[in-house]
Amino acid sequence: MASEAEWPSLGSETRPWVPRIPPELVAAAIRHRHQGPYQAAVVPFIAQQPLQLPGDVLALADQAATELARFDAELGSDLAPFATVLLRSESASSSMIENLTSGAKAIVLAELGETGKRNATSIVANTRAMRAALDLADRLSPGAILAMHQALMDGIDPRAGHWRDEQVWIGGTTYGPHDAAFIPPHHEHVPALIDDLTAFLQRTDMPVLVLAAIAHAQFETIHPFTDGNGRTGRALVHSVLRGRGLARNVTIPISAGLLTDTNRYFDALTFYRDGDPGSIVAAFAEAAFAATSNGRALVADLRGISDHWATVITARRGASAWMLADLLLRQPIVDAASVAAKLGMAPQNALRAIGPLVDAGILTEFTGQQRNRMWQARAVLGAIDAFADRARRRAR
């Protein structure tokens, strides 16, 4: 899908390579392949670059933006619990693109402080990065991007919240960049390129979804961090959508839409680097349609669960059990301490809220312990896992 206007493709520059791993620790064949200089990408500035996209791509992006706004408006007056669930689901989907997968139960347990599942802990960190992106939506700057990365990688990467200070590459071997599929720009160029990107984000001469898609592709091309670039770059998309008013109420699960065809997404990033911005715009537009469809299915499932619960809870209306039922739609695993904290009651009274929901079959205790017991709402966890399963189905 070629763009009608000239968009700058990447150049390259020759850089000397000094191996980081002692040569005696590496096979001779690998050492031989990684001798001598390598070619790093030279990324063009885009802050003032004219953009003209094919009419069909612009029409698709316009239709997708209308769909995103409609979905956001549908939930605008009924946010709880959908804002929380959609944010968590988007964070999990963005992590899945990086092959970080985890079930809904493990993710919620990680939110409650469980540290045994590394992937789930990483997904919770991604949720923090998403929240940081939304909080900073009206003041995007290099510092805001660093804050998103800090929220994502704090405690995981010692360089969290800092631009990379070394060459990175994608694909190939860990020994050197010479066999890599893509070698981002040398780290000395990163600050200036990020300054240019944030200047690009101030432009008002293109539709919001187009702006977000191109900014994301440029960010991934710069690859400003040693780790966490993909997740930070997708969080940046939500910051743009929120800041420009296209998604005011909820985090629309765009990554879940991209997840339906990750090959197309990664190919579109490659096409962008070759001077074709239309492909990444089209990929994001199609992802928006998939995201809103999947998001509506999740919301419908949660509403159906809530309606069913209303027929089986026998406690009087207004009792704490009803308040807990509302909480379970966004936090489907609880213990006595979390119930007490969320509902504003003494810990010893939490079981008064939990008991009726156990009797109704809404909550199930799963630790089997006498102390530190936890309960799960299996129906809600199942709905969230079904959302993830739909997102993982590859386009055919």
Side-chain angles (χ1 to χ4, degrees):
M1 183 183 299
S3 173
E4 291 178 346
E6 196 72 25
W7 186 262
S9 58
L10 300 187
S12 64
E13 63 175 348
T14 302
R15 287 280 177 170
W17 176 245
V18 178
R20 303 167 188 165
I21 302 175
E24 63 270 16
L25 300 179
V26 181
I30 295 177
R31 292 201 309 270
H32 180 73
R33 291 204 309 272
H34 294 283
Q35 289 180 345
Y38 67 96
Q39 298 293 307
V42 173
V43 179
F45 292 137
I46 63 170
Q48 305 298 325
Q49 180 65 36
L51 173 70
Q52 185 178 353
L53 295 173
D56 60 334
V57 174
L58 284 173
L60 181 65
D62 184 63
Q63 293 165 9
T66 300
E67 185 66 11
L68 291 176
R70 181 184 296 119
F71 180 80
D72 187 68
E74 287 172 2
L75 299 182
S77 60
D78 192 14
L79 284 182
F82 306 125
T84 298
V85 173
L86 288 168
L87 175 63
R88 183 190 295 124
S89 298
E90 167 61 4
S91 302
S93 297
S94 183
S95 297
M96 284 181 205
I97 293 174
E98 309 297 327
N99 294 316
L100 294 170
T101 61
S102 185
K105 183 175 181 178
I107 295 170
V108 178
L109 283 171
E111 290 177 339
L112 293 172
E114 174 71 46
T115 59
K117 302 288 186 180
R118 183 174 180 178
N119 281 6
T121 302
S122 295
I123 292 169
V124 171
N126 197 21
T127 304
R128 291 197 301 269
M130 290 284 183
R131 288 197 175 98
L134 297 176
D135 290 342
L136 296 164
D138 60 348
R139 51 188 186 280
L140 281 177
S141 65
I145 295 173
L146 289 173
M148 295 176 206
H149 188 257
Q150 176 73 38
L152 173 69
M153 303 302 292
D154 188 34
I156 301 172
D157 183 350
R159 295 290 298 166
H162 295 85
W163 308 127
R164 59 181 168 88
D165 57 2
E166 61 184 359
Q167 182 67 66
V168 295
W169 57 91
I170 299 171
T173 70
T174 58
Y175 183 70
H178 298 73
D179 293 337
F182 175 60
I183 306 175
H186 191 268
H187 46 278
E188 71 181 20
H189 300 307
V190 167
L193 286 166
I194 291 294
D195 286 344
D196 176 76
L197 174 60
T198 53
F200 173 81
L201 288 168
Q202 306 308 311
R203 288 175 60 165
T204 58
D205 62 337
M206 65 186 71
V208 175
L209 188 60
V210 173
L211 183 79
I214 293 177
H216 172 76
Q218 183 76 354
F219 179 89
E220 298 306 325
T221 300
I222 299 168
H223 228 68
F225 302 112
T226 54
D227 192 14
N229 292 281
R231 286 165 287 166
T232 305
R234 287 184 289 275
L236 179 64
V237 169
H238 291 285
S239 190
V240 175
L241 298 181
R242 176 65 56 87
R244 293 299 183 94
L246 192 56
R248 299 176 183 275
N249 300 304
V250 295
T251 305
I252 300 170
I254 297 289
S255 294
L258 294 172
L259 193 61
T260 62
D261 193 350
T262 53
N263 287 335
R264 181 184 184 185
Y265 168 51
F266 291 128
D267 285 346
L269 290 174
T270 299
F271 295 149
Y272 174 83
R273 293 161 187 159
D274 290 337
D276 170 22
S279 293
I280 193 66
V281 173
F284 267 79
E286 294 288 0
F289 288 113
T292 53
S293 175
N294 200 358
R296 283 192 177 94
L298 173 60
V299 170
D301 286 346
L302 293 175
R303 282 177 171 152
I305 291 167
S306 181
D307 290 345
H308 170 69
W309 287 354
T311 68
V312 297
I313 297 175
T314 57
R316 61 175 178 79
R317 283 283 181 178
S320 58
W322 289 93
M323 292 188 287
L324 177 55
D326 289 339
L327 171 66
L328 291 174
L329 292 174
R330 58 184 181 272
Q331 184 180 316
I333 295 177
V334 294
D335 57 13
S338 63
V339 170
K342 293 289 186 179
L343 301 188
M345 60 175 58
Q348 60 268 28
N349 294 331
L351 289 179
R352 296 180 183 177
I354 294 170
L357 301 190
V358 172
D359 294 340
I362 293 170
L363 279 177
T364 305
E365 205 287 325
F366 64 90
T367 65
Q369 302 172 358
Q370 291 300 313
R371 301 181 63 183
N372 301 318
R373 291 183 294 168
M374 304 187 82
W375 293 262
Q376 61 185 341
R378 287 178 173 170
V380 176
L381 293 171
I384 297 171
D385 281 334
F387 170 93
D389 288 341
R390 289 190 296 269
R392 277 192 289 257
R393 293 172 192 160
R394 297 294 189 264
R396 296 176 185 268

